[in-house]
């Protein structure tokens, strides 16, 4: 009885040792397989990282080939200006994911029309995609009506030089007549100044139903605004500008009652508004001399001009 018990115990211990040995062998096999798998993954990564597809073709980059460099969103900025800046930086010949594009972005942001820039790095083949967000030009600066614009002003008050002219017809711009000297120096304009003139422009278009052709700021104290069908003598742009602009909606219908040509509508004062008639030509029959300033609203003030 005792011997049988010990034989069973011995057999059970032998089975336990066998099971433990097999478990240890399985664990060792798993460890070995993991090491092999990790090694294969590392070799694969090294192989992939060193593939030629990670490197930008420098020869194609020098000629700005579309296969390695793509530029989007540049309506005002010529492509060659952006390409020249990329060439100046001389991008290193490294894997595309290691490529540092901050210097390129900073140089592109120095271009007057550019507001924001994003550079995407793409693989297979390695290439860069430059996405430009440009400012919106709103005013074209010129010394006279018939002269070509010498620069443009954007909605945020940034000046765009002549080298970017002419602008695309996609932008709705207004011509500003100015000499750019003294208080009329457009180079000193900021965002607030641009918004002030733009609000006045929009007000005239809204209340008149006509487009603004140009704003004459050559004399800042005696501003003229040309609409499609009539000239406005507006005077100084000040705190009463919006109130005076609203009067155009009331005065324009009255101009249809005049057979004589209208020289301009005078809106220089807040409480008195006039329609200035043009002088008769020599071919017209002589008429008694009449007052050419036709008041639209009764007032005690007189038009001194």
């Amino acid at each position: 009885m005792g011997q049988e018990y010990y034989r069973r115990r011995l057999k059970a211990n032998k089975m336990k040792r066998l099971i433990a040995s097999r478990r240890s062998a399985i664990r060792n096999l798993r460890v070995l397989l993991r090491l092999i798998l990790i090694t294969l993954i590392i070799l694969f990564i090294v192989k992939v990282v060193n593939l030629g597809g990670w490197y930008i073709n420098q020869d194609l980059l020098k000629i700005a080939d579309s296969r390695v460099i793509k530029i989007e969103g540049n309506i005002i900025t010529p492509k060659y200006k952006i390409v020249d800046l990329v060439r100046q930086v001389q991008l290193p010949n490294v894997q595309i994911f290691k490529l540092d594009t901050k210097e390129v972005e900073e140089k592109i942001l120095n271009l007057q029309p550019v507001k924001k820039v994003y550079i995407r790095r793409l693989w297979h083949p390695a290439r860069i995609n430059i996405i430009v967000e440009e400012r919106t030009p709103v005013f074209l600066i010129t010394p006279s009506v018939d002269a070509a614009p010498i620069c443009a002003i954007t909605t945020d008050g940034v000046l765009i030089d002549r080298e970017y002219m002419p602008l695309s017809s996609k932008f709705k711009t207004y011509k500003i007549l100015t000499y750019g000297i003294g208080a009329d120096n457009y180079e000193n304009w900021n965002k607030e100044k641009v918004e002030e003139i733009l609000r006045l422009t929009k007000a005239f278009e809204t209340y008149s139903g006509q487009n603004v052709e140009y704003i004459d700021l050559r004399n800042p104290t005696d501003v003229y605004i040309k609409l499609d069908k009539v000239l406005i003598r507006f005077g100084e742009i000040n705190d009463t500008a919006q109130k005076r602009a609203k009067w155009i909606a009331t005065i324009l219908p009255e101009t249809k009652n005049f057979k004589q040509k209208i020289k301009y509508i005078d809106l220089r004062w807040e409480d008195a508004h006039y329609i200035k008639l043009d002088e008769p030509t020599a071919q017209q029959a002589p008429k008694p001399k009449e007052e050419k300033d036709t008041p639209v609203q009764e007032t005690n003030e007189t038009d001194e001009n």
Side-chain angles (χ1 to χ4, degrees):
M1 187 74 178
Q3 292 179 352
E4 184 68 24
Y5 171 75
Y6 284 113
R7 280 197 298 270
R8 288 199 301 269
R9 288 289 303 271
L10 186 63
K11 187 176 181 180
N13 290 336
K14 187 177 180 180
M15 287 293 296
K16 288 180 180 180
R17 287 195 296 271
L18 180 61
I19 293 172
S21 176
R22 289 180 176 177
R23 286 178 176 175
S24 178
I26 292 173
R27 282 196 299 269
N28 292 337
L29 179 61
R30 287 177 177 174
V31 171
L32 179 61
L33 291 175
R34 286 173 183 169
L35 289 174
I36 293 173
L37 182 60
I38 292 173
T39 303
L40 291 175
I41 291 174
I42 292 174
L43 291 174
F44 175 76
I45 292 175
V46 171
K47 181 68 175 177
V48 170
V49 167
N50 288 287
L51 287 175
W54 288 108
Y55 296 85
I56 294 180
N57 188 314
Q58 296 296 314
D59 294 331
L60 295 179
L61 184 62
K62 289 178 181 178
I63 62 174
D65 192 281
S66 59
R67 288 174 288 179
V68 296
I69 181 171
K70 184 179 180 182
I71 302 173
E72 300 178 2
N74 59 315
I75 300 175
I76 305 173
T77 310
K79 180 180 177 180
Y80 74 87
K81 283 186 172 291
I82 299 176
V83 172
D84 286 345
L85 294 177
V86 175
R87 288 171 178 162
Q88 290 176 19
V89 174
Q90 295 181 348
L91 295 173
N93 189 26
V94 297
Q95 292 96 331
I96 191 69
F97 59 86
K98 290 184 179 179
L99 190 63
D100 187 359
T101 60
K102 288 183 179 179
E103 186 177 357
V104 178
E105 292 175 356
E106 290 174 357
K107 284 185 175 294
I108 295 175
L109 281 173
N110 288 331
L111 297 174
Q112 292 173 332
V114 178
K115 184 177 182 180
K116 295 180 182 178
V117 61
Y118 311 91
I119 298 182
R120 298 177 60 191
R121 297 167 293 177
L122 306 173
W123 173 59
H124 199 67
R127 61 198 186 278
I128 57 175
N129 190 3
I130 302 175
I131 303 172
V132 174
E133 181 181 338
E134 294 182 320
R135 294 182 168 89
T136 304
V138 65
F139 295 133
L140 297 177
I141 306 299
T142 178
S144 63
V145 176
D146 299 324
I150 58 176
C151 66
I153 304 291
T154 66
T155 53
D156 53 350
V158 176
L159 185 144
I160 298 178
D161 288 332
R162 180 182 291 180
E163 59 184 308
Y164 297 98
M165 304 290 120
L167 296 178
S168 170
S169 58
K170 293 181 180 180
F171 298 106
K172 183 177 181 180
T173 55
Y174 302 95
K175 187 175 290 186
I176 300 290
L177 309 187
T178 175
Y179 297 126
I181 56 177
D184 191 30
N185 192 349
Y186 52 84
E187 293 184 2
N188 297 329
W189 288 7
N190 54 21
K191 183 179 180 181
E192 289 71 24
K193 177 67 173 180
V194 172
E195 289 179 345
E196 179 186 35
I197 299 176
L198 186 59
R199 282 196 300 270
L200 181 62
T201 305
K202 296 294 185 182
F204 268 105
E205 289 188 334
T206 300
Y207 296 127
S208 69
Q210 300 181 29
N211 293 319
V212 172
E213 293 185 4
Y214 65 79
I215 300 177
D216 189 349
L217 296 178
R218 289 174 292 190
N219 182 357
T221 61
D222 193 12
V223 175
Y224 283 82
I225 300 174
K226 178 65 171 67
L227 303 180
D228 287 334
K229 300 178 181 179
V230 68
L231 180 65
I232 308 296
R233 188 174 185 180
F234 194 70
E236 189 175 1
I237 300 177
N238 52 28
D239 295 339
T240 66
Q242 290 293 323
K243 293 181 180 179
R244 286 182 284 142
K246 292 180 181 179
W247 278 101
I248 195 65
T250 304
I251 299 174
L252 272 181
E254 297 187 19
T255 61
K256 299 177 181 179
N257 300 327
F258 294 92
K259 294 182 179 180
Q260 192 172 340
K261 184 179 179 180
I262 296 174
K263 188 174 183 180
Y264 60 76
I265 295 175
D266 197 330
L267 297 180
R268 286 176 291 174
W269 298 279
E270 187 177 358
D271 53 356
H273 319 94
Y274 297 93
I275 297 176
K276 178 74 173 182
L277 301 179
D278 204 358
E279 295 292 339
T281 62
Q283 289 76 15
Q284 290 178 325
K287 295 181 180 180
K289 187 175 181 180
E290 297 179 356
E291 182 66 36
K292 296 298 186 296
D293 289 339
T294 304
V296 177
Q297 177 180 328
E298 291 294 330
T299 177
N300 295 327
E301 298 186 25
T302 59
D303 185 5
E304 298 177 356
N305 296 308

